[in-house]
């Protein structure tokens, strides 16, 4: 099974946790000081909100693969459709350690394809950055991301793994 993923930036985390908990008729599976996530089964959605980012609204969409083979199948489909992708490999973001890559649709909306490997105690930790977070952490891409967000826009023209 694959799970659809939506991540929104919100201005008022507590108010939005209340709203979405009532909307989904369940409490979040994970809550942090700047983040909440619901793992919905009907329909299967990984719905996350955070106070990180430049503006309220849609941050990115994604497909969460159930296992490594499903992620490989998603990647093969993207490559065979000649979609440009930014492969991050194993990285950590949004309180999770994942294998992931990004594609961007014609409107500039980022799509994350990922397989979650485990949880981590901080939002923007990266396998190649200190646990306190740094500009090397690659998560929640948006056209207006800044270094202070510990996130970046996937850049297919760059030789680096991220920004």
């Amino acid at each position: 099974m694959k799970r659809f993923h939506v991540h929104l930036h919100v201005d008022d985390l507590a108010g939005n946790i209340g709203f979405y908990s009532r909307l989904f008729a369940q409490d979040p599976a994970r809550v942090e000081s700047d983040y909440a996530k619901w793992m919905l089964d009907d329909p299967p959605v990984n719905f996350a909100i955070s106070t990180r980012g430049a503006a309220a609204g849609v941050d990115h969409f994604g497909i969460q693969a159930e296992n490594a083979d499903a992620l490989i199948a998603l990647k093969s489909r993207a490559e065979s459709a000649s979609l440009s992708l930014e492969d991050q490999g194993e990285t950590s973001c949004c309180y999770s350690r994942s294998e992931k890559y990004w594609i961007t649709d014609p409107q500039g909306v980022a799509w994350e394809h990922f397989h979650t490997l485990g949880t981590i105690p901080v939002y923007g930790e990266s396998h190649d950055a200190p646990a306190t977070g740094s500009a090397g952490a690659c998560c929640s891409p948006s056209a207006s991301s800044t270094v202070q967000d510990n996130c970046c826009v996937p850049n297919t023209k760059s030789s680096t793994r991220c920004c």
Side-chain angles (χ1 to χ4, degrees), residues 8-42:
L8 299 178
H9 287 296
V10 298
D11 293 328
D12 175 10
L13 188 68
N16 279 278
I17 288 174
F19 173 83
Y20 286 110
S21 292
R22 290 187 303 276
L23 179 68
F24 300 143
Q26 71 182 58
D27 291 330
R30 181 159 189 172
V31 176
E32 300 292 340
S33 64
D34 58 352
Y35 178 85
K37 175 175 70 174
W38 289 259
M39 296 295 282
L40 306 174
D41 292 325
D42 187 18

mmCIF file of all heavy atoms in Angstrom, residues 8-42:
data_model
loop_
_atom_site.group_PDB
_atom_site.id
_atom_site.type_symbol
_atom_site.label_atom_id
_atom_site.label_comp_id
_atom_site.label_asym_id
_atom_site.label_seq_id
_atom_site.Cartn_x
_atom_site.Cartn_y
_atom_site.Cartn_z
ATOM 1 N N LEU A 8 1.193 20.932 5.185
ATOM 2 C CA LEU A 8 0.763 22.323 5.168
ATOM 3 C C LEU A 8 1.565 23.143 6.160
ATOM 4 O O LEU A 8 1.869 22.659 7.251
ATOM 5 C CB LEU A 8 -0.712 22.445 5.580
ATOM 6 C CG LEU A 8 -1.777 21.772 4.753
ATOM 7 C CD1 LEU A 8 -3.139 21.998 5.388
ATOM 8 C CD2 LEU A 8 -1.770 22.296 3.330
ATOM 9 N N HIS A 9 1.858 24.387 5.811
ATOM 10 C CA HIS A 9 2.382 25.351 6.768
ATOM 11 C C HIS A 9 1.181 26.024 7.409
ATOM 12 O O HIS A 9 0.244 26.424 6.710
ATOM 13 C CB HIS A 9 3.237 26.419 6.073
ATOM 14 C CG HIS A 9 4.557 25.920 5.623
ATOM 15 N ND1 HIS A 9 5.531 25.475 6.485
ATOM 16 C CD2 HIS A 9 5.077 25.796 4.385
ATOM 17 C CE1 HIS A 9 6.589 25.103 5.789
ATOM 18 N NE2 HIS A 9 6.331 25.278 4.506
ATOM 19 N N VAL A 10 1.214 26.173 8.734
ATOM 20 C CA VAL A 10 0.125 26.827 9.450
ATOM 21 C C VAL A 10 0.687 27.911 10.362
ATOM 22 O O VAL A 10 1.847 27.841 10.776
ATOM 23 C CB VAL A 10 -0.696 25.807 10.274
ATOM 24 C CG1 VAL A 10 -1.339 24.766 9.364
ATOM 25 C CG2 VAL A 10 0.143 25.127 11.343
ATOM 26 N N ASP A 11 -0.123 28.894 10.666
ATOM 27 C CA ASP A 11 0.305 29.962 11.570
ATOM 28 C C ASP A 11 0.038 29.611 13.027
ATOM 29 O O ASP A 11 0.786 30.007 13.912
ATOM 30 C CB ASP A 11 -0.415 31.266 11.217
ATOM 31 C CG ASP A 11 0.000 31.806 9.860
ATOM 32 O OD1 ASP A 11 1.169 31.607 9.471
ATOM 33 O OD2 ASP A 11 -0.851 32.417 9.197
ATOM 34 N N ASP A 12 -1.036 28.893 13.304
ATOM 35 C CA ASP A 12 -1.450 28.570 14.666
ATOM 36 C C ASP A 12 -1.521 27.054 14.809
ATOM 37 O O ASP A 12 -2.522 26.429 14.445
ATOM 38 C CB ASP A 12 -2.810 29.217 14.944
ATOM 39 C CG ASP A 12 -3.406 28.845 16.288
ATOM 40 O OD1 ASP A 12 -2.715 28.229 17.126
ATOM 41 O OD2 ASP A 12 -4.587 29.172 16.501
ATOM 42 N N LEU A 13 -0.458 26.449 15.332
ATOM 43 C CA LEU A 13 -0.387 24.987 15.410
ATOM 44 C C LEU A 13 -1.511 24.421 16.284
ATOM 45 O O LEU A 13 -2.223 23.511 15.863
ATOM 46 C CB LEU A 13 0.981 24.535 15.921
ATOM 47 C CG LEU A 13 1.226 23.037 15.848
ATOM 48 C CD1 LEU A 13 1.338 22.582 14.395
ATOM 49 C CD2 LEU A 13 2.476 22.658 16.614
ATOM 50 N N ALA A 14 -1.676 24.950 17.487
ATOM 51 C CA ALA A 14 -2.680 24.404 18.403
ATOM 52 C C ALA A 14 -4.091 24.507 17.810
ATOM 53 O O ALA A 14 -4.868 23.544 17.881
ATOM 54 C CB ALA A 14 -2.618 25.125 19.745
ATOM 55 N N GLY A 15 -4.416 25.637 17.225
ATOM 56 C CA GLY A 15 -5.730 25.799 16.609
ATOM 57 C C GLY A 15 -5.952 24.831 15.470
ATOM 58 O O GLY A 15 -7.037 24.267 15.322
ATOM 59 N N ASN A 16 -4.915 24.618 14.670
ATOM 60 C CA ASN A 16 -5.025 23.687 13.546
ATOM 61 C C ASN A 16 -5.052 22.238 14.011
ATOM 62 O O ASN A 16 -5.740 21.415 13.407
ATOM 63 C CB ASN A 16 -3.893 23.926 12.555
ATOM 64 C CG ASN A 16 -4.204 25.087 11.641
ATOM 65 O OD1 ASN A 16 -4.911 24.933 10.656
ATOM 66 N ND2 ASN A 16 -3.718 26.272 11.995
ATOM 67 N N ILE A 17 -4.329 21.908 15.078
ATOM 68 C CA ILE A 17 -4.413 20.548 15.633
ATOM 69 C C ILE A 17 -5.849 20.278 16.055
ATOM 70 O O ILE A 17 -6.410 19.218 15.764
ATOM 71 C CB ILE A 17 -3.429 20.348 16.792
ATOM 72 C CG1 ILE A 17 -1.997 20.269 16.254
ATOM 73 C CG2 ILE A 17 -3.785 19.086 17.588
ATOM 74 C CD1 ILE A 17 -0.924 20.222 17.338
ATOM 75 N N GLY A 18 -6.480 21.260 16.725
ATOM 76 C CA GLY A 18 -7.876 21.097 17.116
ATOM 77 C C GLY A 18 -8.797 20.924 15.926
ATOM 78 O O GLY A 18 -9.646 20.020 15.889
ATOM 79 N N PHE A 19 -8.624 21.768 14.917
ATOM 80 C CA PHE A 19 -9.454 21.695 13.718
ATOM 81 C C PHE A 19 -9.312 20.346 13.021
ATOM 82 O O PHE A 19 -10.300 19.665 12.729
ATOM 83 C CB PHE A 19 -9.097 22.827 12.746
ATOM 84 C CG PHE A 19 -9.799 22.719 11.419
ATOM 85 C CD1 PHE A 19 -11.087 23.197 11.257
ATOM 86 C CD2 PHE A 19 -9.177 22.120 10.338
ATOM 87 C CE1 PHE A 19 -11.750 23.084 10.044
ATOM 88 C CE2 PHE A 19 -9.817 22.007 9.112
ATOM 89 C CZ PHE A 19 -11.113 22.486 8.966
ATOM 90 N N TYR A 20 -8.071 19.949 12.718
ATOM 91 C CA TYR A 20 -7.872 18.712 11.960
ATOM 92 C C TYR A 20 -8.201 17.475 12.793
ATOM 93 O O TYR A 20 -8.660 16.462 12.252
ATOM 94 C CB TYR A 20 -6.466 18.650 11.368
ATOM 95 C CG TYR A 20 -6.318 19.587 10.194
ATOM 96 C CD1 TYR A 20 -5.542 20.728 10.279
ATOM 97 C CD2 TYR A 20 -7.017 19.355 9.002
ATOM 98 C CE1 TYR A 20 -5.439 21.610 9.207
ATOM 99 C CE2 TYR A 20 -6.925 20.228 7.933
ATOM 100 C CZ TYR A 20 -6.140 21.350 8.041
ATOM 101 O OH TYR A 20 -6.058 22.215 6.978
ATOM 102 N N SER A 21 -8.019 17.529 14.100
ATOM 103 C CA SER A 21 -8.417 16.395 14.944
ATOM 104 C C SER A 21 -9.924 16.190 14.888
ATOM 105 O O SER A 21 -10.403 15.051 14.841
ATOM 106 C CB SER A 21 -7.966 16.632 16.388
ATOM 107 O OG SER A 21 -6.564 16.593 16.485
ATOM 108 N N ARG A 22 -10.669 17.295 14.887
ATOM 109 C CA ARG A 22 -12.127 17.180 14.743
ATOM 110 C C ARG A 22 -12.497 16.721 13.330
ATOM 111 O O ARG A 22 -13.355 15.858 13.148
ATOM 112 C CB ARG A 22 -12.798 18.504 15.074
ATOM 113 C CG ARG A 22 -12.740 18.856 16.556
ATOM 114 C CD ARG A 22 -13.565 20.090 16.916
ATOM 115 N NE ARG A 22 -13.198 21.299 16.187
ATOM 116 C CZ ARG A 22 -12.196 22.128 16.523
ATOM 117 N NH1 ARG A 22 -11.443 21.855 17.571
ATOM 118 N NH2 ARG A 22 -11.959 23.217 15.810
ATOM 119 N N LEU A 23 -11.836 17.288 12.321
ATOM 120 C CA LEU A 23 -12.130 16.919 10.936
ATOM 121 C C LEU A 23 -11.873 15.431 10.693
ATOM 122 O O LEU A 23 -12.671 14.742 10.054
ATOM 123 C CB LEU A 23 -11.277 17.752 9.975
ATOM 124 C CG LEU A 23 -11.462 17.460 8.480
ATOM 125 C CD1 LEU A 23 -12.845 17.888 8.012
ATOM 126 C CD2 LEU A 23 -10.383 18.171 7.674
ATOM 127 N N PHE A 24 -10.756 14.920 11.190
ATOM 128 C CA PHE A 24 -10.372 13.521 10.964
ATOM 129 C C PHE A 24 -10.933 12.584 12.028
ATOM 130 O O PHE A 24 -10.769 11.363 11.927
ATOM 131 C CB PHE A 24 -8.852 13.384 10.926
ATOM 132 C CG PHE A 24 -8.181 14.198 9.849
ATOM 133 C CD1 PHE A 24 -6.950 14.795 10.094
ATOM 134 C CD2 PHE A 24 -8.749 14.368 8.596
ATOM 135 C CE1 PHE A 24 -6.302 15.531 9.115
ATOM 136 C CE2 PHE A 24 -8.112 15.110 7.614
ATOM 137 C CZ PHE A 24 -6.892 15.700 7.870
ATOM 138 N N ALA A 25 -11.557 13.129 13.080
ATOM 139 C CA ALA A 25 -12.107 12.338 14.192
ATOM 140 C C ALA A 25 -11.041 11.479 14.860
ATOM 141 O O ALA A 25 -11.295 10.351 15.267
ATOM 142 C CB ALA A 25 -13.292 11.485 13.721
ATOM 143 N N GLN A 26 -9.844 12.030 14.958
ATOM 144 C CA GLN A 26 -8.767 11.350 15.681
ATOM 145 C C GLN A 26 -7.661 12.351 16.002
ATOM 146 O O GLN A 26 -7.503 13.357 15.321
ATOM 147 C CB GLN A 26 -8.198 10.168 14.898
ATOM 148 C CG GLN A 26 -7.363 10.530 13.676
ATOM 149 C CD GLN A 26 -6.882 9.292 12.934
ATOM 150 O OE1 GLN A 26 -7.692 8.473 12.500
ATOM 151 N NE2 GLN A 26 -5.583 9.146 12.777
ATOM 152 N N ASP A 27 -6.933 12.042 17.054
ATOM 153 C CA ASP A 27 -5.798 12.877 17.438
ATOM 154 C C ASP A 27 -4.607 12.576 16.549
ATOM 155 O O ASP A 27 -4.529 11.492 15.938
ATOM 156 C CB ASP A 27 -5.420 12.603 18.903
ATOM 157 C CG ASP A 27 -6.478 13.115 19.865
ATOM 158 O OD1 ASP A 27 -7.160 14.104 19.539
ATOM 159 O OD2 ASP A 27 -6.625 12.511 20.952
ATOM 160 N N PRO A 28 -3.649 13.498 16.472
ATOM 161 C CA PRO A 28 -2.449 13.250 15.665
ATOM 162 C C PRO A 28 -1.649 12.058 16.210
ATOM 163 O O PRO A 28 -1.649 11.790 17.413
ATOM 164 C CB PRO A 28 -1.634 14.534 15.812
ATOM 165 C CG PRO A 28 -2.512 15.530 16.468
ATOM 166 C CD PRO A 28 -3.629 14.796 17.126
ATOM 167 N N ALA A 29 -0.955 11.387 15.310
ATOM 168 C CA ALA A 29 -0.073 10.281 15.694
ATOM 169 C C ALA A 29 1.209 10.817 16.329
ATOM 170 O O ALA A 29 1.841 10.133 17.122
ATOM 171 C CB ALA A 29 0.262 9.430 14.470
ATOM 172 N N ARG A 30 1.596 12.051 15.956
ATOM 173 C CA ARG A 30 2.808 12.667 16.504
ATOM 174 C C ARG A 30 2.571 14.168 16.632
ATOM 175 O O ARG A 30 2.064 14.797 15.709
ATOM 176 C CB ARG A 30 4.009 12.401 15.611
ATOM 177 C CG ARG A 30 5.282 13.011 16.180
ATOM 178 C CD ARG A 30 6.516 12.376 15.650
ATOM 179 N NE ARG A 30 7.674 12.860 16.404
ATOM 180 C CZ ARG A 30 8.875 12.380 16.268
ATOM 181 N NH1 ARG A 30 9.093 11.410 15.422
ATOM 182 N NH2 ARG A 30 9.873 12.852 16.971
ATOM 183 N N VAL A 31 2.979 14.721 17.782
ATOM 184 C CA VAL A 31 2.896 16.158 18.016
ATOM 185 C C VAL A 31 4.223 16.629 18.582
ATOM 186 O O VAL A 31 4.763 16.027 19.511
ATOM 187 C CB VAL A 31 1.758 16.510 19.002
ATOM 188 C CG1 VAL A 31 1.745 18.014 19.300
ATOM 189 C CG2 VAL A 31 0.402 16.062 18.473
ATOM 190 N N GLU A 32 4.757 17.691 17.995
ATOM 191 C CA GLU A 32 5.957 18.363 18.485
ATOM 192 C C GLU A 32 5.607 19.841 18.652
ATOM 193 O O GLU A 32 4.523 20.265 18.298
ATOM 194 C CB GLU A 32 7.125 18.185 17.500
ATOM 195 C CG GLU A 32 7.524 16.743 17.249
ATOM 196 C CD GLU A 32 8.147 16.059 18.458
ATOM 197 O OE1 GLU A 32 8.626 16.758 19.379
ATOM 198 O OE2 GLU A 32 8.141 14.812 18.479
ATOM 199 N N SER A 33 6.529 20.639 19.144
ATOM 200 C CA SER A 33 6.251 22.054 19.385
ATOM 201 C C SER A 33 5.953 22.828 18.101
ATOM 202 O O SER A 33 5.330 23.890 18.144
ATOM 203 C CB SER A 33 7.419 22.704 20.123
ATOM 204 O OG SER A 33 8.583 22.674 19.307
ATOM 205 N N ASP A 34 6.370 22.303 16.950
ATOM 206 C CA ASP A 34 6.197 23.001 15.676
ATOM 207 C C ASP A 34 5.592 22.124 14.590
ATOM 208 O O ASP A 34 5.601 22.467 13.421
ATOM 209 C CB ASP A 34 7.551 23.527 15.188
ATOM 210 C CG ASP A 34 8.582 22.408 15.018
ATOM 211 O OD1 ASP A 34 8.314 21.253 15.410
ATOM 212 O OD2 ASP A 34 9.673 22.697 14.499
ATOM 213 N N TYR A 35 5.017 20.978 14.974
ATOM 214 C CA TYR A 35 4.675 19.956 13.976
ATOM 215 C C TYR A 35 3.610 19.015 14.538
ATOM 216 O O TYR A 35 3.595 18.710 15.735
ATOM 217 C CB TYR A 35 5.945 19.168 13.667
ATOM 218 C CG TYR A 35 5.830 18.019 12.704
ATOM 219 C CD1 TYR A 35 5.918 18.220 11.340
ATOM 220 C CD2 TYR A 35 5.677 16.723 13.160
ATOM 221 C CE1 TYR A 35 5.860 17.156 10.450
ATOM 222 C CE2 TYR A 35 5.611 15.650 12.277
ATOM 223 C CZ TYR A 35 5.705 15.881 10.929
ATOM 224 O OH TYR A 35 5.644 14.832 10.046
ATOM 225 N N ALA A 36 2.740 18.527 13.657
ATOM 226 C CA ALA A 36 1.794 17.461 14.007
ATOM 227 C C ALA A 36 1.550 16.621 12.763
ATOM 228 O O ALA A 36 1.595 17.128 11.636
ATOM 229 C CB ALA A 36 0.481 18.038 14.517
ATOM 230 N N LYS A 37 1.298 15.330 12.971
ATOM 231 C CA LYS A 37 1.082 14.423 11.843
ATOM 232 C C LYS A 37 -0.027 13.432 12.190
ATOM 233 O O LYS A 37 -0.046 12.862 13.278
ATOM 234 C CB LYS A 37 2.367 13.666 11.519
ATOM 235 C CG LYS A 37 2.197 12.610 10.428
ATOM 236 C CD LYS A 37 3.499 11.955 10.038
ATOM 237 C CE LYS A 37 4.042 11.070 11.115
ATOM 238 N NZ LYS A 37 5.226 10.320 10.691
ATOM 239 N N TRP A 38 -0.927 13.246 11.253
ATOM 240 C CA TRP A 38 -1.978 12.237 11.353
ATOM 241 C C TRP A 38 -1.674 11.152 10.331
ATOM 242 O O TRP A 38 -1.377 11.443 9.173
ATOM 243 C CB TRP A 38 -3.345 12.831 11.018
ATOM 244 C CG TRP A 38 -3.884 13.770 12.032
ATOM 245 C CD1 TRP A 38 -4.831 13.503 12.984
ATOM 246 C CD2 TRP A 38 -3.543 15.150 12.201
ATOM 247 N NE1 TRP A 38 -5.082 14.625 13.729
ATOM 248 C CE2 TRP A 38 -4.296 15.660 13.273
ATOM 249 C CE3 TRP A 38 -2.645 16.021 11.565
ATOM 250 C CZ2 TRP A 38 -4.212 16.974 13.711
ATOM 251 C CZ3 TRP A 38 -2.551 17.331 11.995
ATOM 252 C CH2 TRP A 38 -3.321 17.795 13.060
ATOM 253 N N MET A 39 -1.771 9.901 10.711
ATOM 254 C CA MET A 39 -1.629 8.777 9.789
ATOM 255 C C MET A 39 -3.028 8.177 9.621
ATOM 256 O O MET A 39 -3.476 7.356 10.413
ATOM 257 C CB MET A 39 -0.645 7.743 10.335
ATOM 258 C CG MET A 39 0.775 8.285 10.467
ATOM 259 S SD MET A 39 1.532 8.694 8.886
ATOM 260 C CE MET A 39 1.985 7.061 8.328
ATOM 261 N N LEU A 40 -3.714 8.641 8.606
ATOM 262 C CA LEU A 40 -5.103 8.257 8.384
ATOM 263 C C LEU A 40 -5.178 6.983 7.555
ATOM 264 O O LEU A 40 -4.411 6.802 6.605
ATOM 265 C CB LEU A 40 -5.843 9.392 7.674
ATOM 266 C CG LEU A 40 -5.756 10.763 8.363
ATOM 267 C CD1 LEU A 40 -6.398 11.831 7.492
ATOM 268 C CD2 LEU A 40 -6.387 10.713 9.736
ATOM 269 N N ASP A 41 -6.123 6.121 7.916
ATOM 270 C CA ASP A 41 -6.289 4.867 7.182
ATOM 271 C C ASP A 41 -7.430 4.911 6.183
ATOM 272 O O ASP A 41 -7.453 4.129 5.240
ATOM 273 C CB ASP A 41 -6.520 3.714 8.161
ATOM 274 C CG ASP A 41 -5.274 3.421 8.973
ATOM 275 O OD1 ASP A 41 -4.158 3.551 8.432
ATOM 276 O OD2 ASP A 41 -5.410 3.084 10.174
ATOM 277 N N ASP A 42 -8.383 5.803 6.373
ATOM 278 C CA ASP A 42 -9.535 5.853 5.487
ATOM 279 C C ASP A 42 -9.884 7.292 5.169
ATOM 280 O O ASP A 42 -10.635 7.911 5.929
ATOM 281 C CB ASP A 42 -10.713 5.143 6.129
ATOM 282 C CG ASP A 42 -11.898 5.019 5.183
ATOM 283 O OD1 ASP A 42 -11.718 5.154 3.949
ATOM 284 O OD2 ASP A 42 -13.021 4.798 5.677
#
